[in-house]
Amino acid sequence: MQTLSDLYTVPQENLDLCETIGQIARDKIAPRSAQIDEEAEYPWDIRRLLGEQDILGLPFPSEYGGTGTGTLMLNMAIEEIAKVDAACALILMVQDLGTLPIRLFGSEELKERFLPRCATGEWSPAFALSEPEAGSDPAGMKTTAVKDGEEWVINGTKNWISNLGVADFYICFAVTDREAQRVTAFVVEADRPGFSVGKLEHKLGIRASPTGQPIFDEVRVPQENVIGEVGRGLSVALGTLERTRLGAAAQATGIAQGATDYAVAYSRERRQFGKAINEFQAIQFKLADMETRTTAGRELLYKACAMADQGHPLRGKYSSMAKVFCSDTAMAVTVEAVQVLGGYGYVKEYPVERMMRDAKITQIYEGTNEIQRLVIARTLR
């Protein structure tokens, strides 16, 4: 049974800030979206814009230079940006993902050293967990860290890492006790000797965000760069992903709403058989289902965000449900948007084919939807 503590409201200040962010996205990002996707280059100008507008400060507490506005506001902002450009929304998502381990588990020294410069947008992080042979199974990682005096020596290769070559530091997870299967989380600055940028992937979607293999070859970091306790790195990773998968859900919701809005506007103008195609029931029903699914996903997402802000004991279950539902919705809705536009939906002159390509990754990263269903199922035993 639902209790009053399970309910949430969206504060008016969130709605006002959301409208401002949406206007920035429509005016400054949307005109660049097609070019950003086509060139597949990191949009440094958009990152500067997000920093100048304090949008990159949304993940951070006020004491470290952030807005202190919480998880719900952060994900409302991600949704607004993703309505026009999912790759640009990922800039904000990674700003959260790559710093949350420090915010949740890091020492005060680490927080003071890294968070203020991320809150301004001066620095950008990366989260390096997955490996070529360890994606959904992080316990199978091969990257190692060995203690040498007051330093740790890290060796290994990660894979599928967003912000590769852009990040100023990487949250790197490495095995520190193979026999006991213990993993530790480290902050590794990009300018440390032995760190290099490996292969970059050529992707179906989110093309403007560089993804690939960071390589750690005898990289030395001091003891103070350990996040949390030695040997408790998987707890750091899982505690982080429990919150940041909400970003993937928000991105997916934004993609779905952007595709729906575009299909609705197009159907008003496109004429066949002497009338606008939105007068045909076949199109009306598609649009109705697209809007219904997207709205339902948003409600689940916002509730999950509110539960994360409240520290609700079921926040992990709800974040997984939001991630599954919203990403599956984004994929289904964008496929239908392409269908509404017909042949025009299939060409790059119109944005819905890009939205469809971008939507697919939301079912895969931040924990595949298959893994999320396992997480949800375990709560039902």
Side-chain angles (χ1 to χ4, degrees):
M1 178 179 291
Q2 189 178 58
T3 65
L4 288 175
S5 63
D6 293 326
L7 301 177
Y8 72 92
T9 57
V10 180
Q12 185 60 45
E13 55 264 33
N14 284 30
L15 297 173
D16 294 341
L17 182 53
C18 231
E19 178 53 37
T20 299
I21 293 170
Q23 195 65 52
I24 292 170
R26 292 187 292 273
D27 292 347
K28 302 293 186 181
I29 300 177
R32 289 263 287 117
S33 292
Q35 180 187 12
I36 287 171
D37 176 69
E38 184 66 27
E39 294 178 353
E41 292 185 1
Y42 187 78
W44 289 97
D45 59 324
I46 303 301
R47 175 172 150 186
R48 285 192 294 272
L49 171 70
L50 297 179
E52 290 164 359
Q53 298 295 325
D54 292 331
I55 295 172
L56 293 183
L58 287 170
F60 304 98
S62 55
E63 58 264 36
Y64 301 107
T67 60
T69 43
T71 305
L72 177 58
M73 184 62 242
L74 167 66
N75 287 291
M76 291 174 73
I78 290 170
E79 179 190 347
E80 284 300 314
I81 299 170
K83 287 177 183 177
V84 302
D85 195 304
C88 290
L90 189 57
I91 296 174
L92 178 55
M93 291 164 62
V94 173
Q95 208 73 359
D96 181 42
L97 172 63
T99 59
L100 190 57
I102 296 174
R103 282 180 277 143
L104 291 180
F105 302 97
S107 65
E108 187 59 35
E109 188 273 334
L110 282 178
K111 293 175 183 177
E112 294 285 355
R113 187 163 26 127
F114 290 98
L115 299 187
R117 298 179 78 169
C118 290
T120 63
E122 178 188 355
W123 280 359
S124 187
F127 184 84
L129 176 64
S130 295
E131 297 186 0
E133 302 299 324
S136 294
D137 177 22
M141 72 175 63
K142 292 181 168 51
T143 299
T144 61
V146 177
K147 190 77 179 291
D148 182 18
E150 292 302 309
E151 294 183 318
W152 290 87
V153 183
I154 303 174
N155 283 283
T157 299
K158 297 295 183 175
N159 207 27
W160 315 116
I161 306 306
S162 298
N163 255 17
L164 180 63
V166 170
D168 296 279
F169 62 91
Y170 294 75
I171 307 300
C172 177
F173 296 84
V175 176
T176 47
D177 185 340
R178 179 69 66 190
E179 187 173 324
Q181 294 185 312
R182 291 293 185 179
V183 171
T184 302
F186 301 88
V187 181
V188 180
E189 296 89 338
D191 58 359
R192 287 196 174 271
F195 174 82
S196 62
V197 173
K199 181 184 72 169
L200 284 165
E201 304 292 349
H202 299 281
K203 299 176 296 181
L204 173 71
I206 316 288
R207 286 162 45 81
S209 178
T211 304
Q213 295 184 335
I215 298 170
F216 303 86
D217 182 10
E218 296 289 305
V219 177
R220 289 180 170 269
V221 298
Q223 173 66 28
E224 53 264 32
N225 278 29
V226 171
I227 302 172
E229 298 177 32
V230 172
R232 298 296 302 274
L234 284 182
S235 296
V236 173
L238 295 175
T240 298
L241 294 171
E242 179 182 81
R243 295 268 293 272
T244 59
R245 69 174 67 110
L246 291 168
Q251 182 188 44
T253 302
I255 294 169
Q257 192 64 64
T260 299
D261 292 347
Y262 196 92
V264 167
Y266 177 88
S267 69
R268 291 194 194 108
E269 304 299 326
R270 176 66 169 165
R271 300 184 69 81
Q272 291 284 277
F273 304 101
K275 57 185 178 180
I277 65 171
N278 70 350
E279 296 184 39
F280 294 101
Q281 191 178 74
I283 300 299
Q284 292 171 352
F285 281 10
K286 284 185 187 296
L287 297 175
D289 287 343
M290 292 160 67
E291 180 74 0
T292 299
R293 289 189 65 169
T294 302
T295 301
R298 180 179 298 108
E299 290 297 319
L300 181 55
L301 167 66
Y302 285 12
K303 178 170 181 175
C305 289
M307 293 172 80
D309 280 330
Q310 297 163 9
H312 195 287
L314 294 179
R315 63 189 181 275
K317 173 185 177 180
Y318 272 78
S319 68
S320 288
M321 292 195 299
K323 199 271 186 185
V324 166
F325 189 88
C326 294
S327 59
D328 284 351
T329 293
M331 197 68 241
V333 165
T334 53
V335 167
E336 287 288 60
V338 170
Q339 192 70 20
V340 170
L341 269 68
Y344 290 111
Y346 202 67
V347 298
K348 291 194 173 185
E349 184 179 350
Y350 294 80
V352 291
E353 63 85 29
R354 167 172 52 84
M355 293 173 173
M356 184 177 72
R357 289 187 285 107
D358 288 347
K360 184 59 196 174
I361 192 60
T362 66
Q363 296 177 305
I364 299 171
Y365 63 13
E366 294 288 334
T368 65
N369 282 7
E370 290 75 18
I371 291 294
Q372 301 313 318
R373 287 182 168 93
L374 285 175
V375 172
I376 298 162
R378 286 177 186 144
T379 70
L380 305 177
R381 291 176 180 172

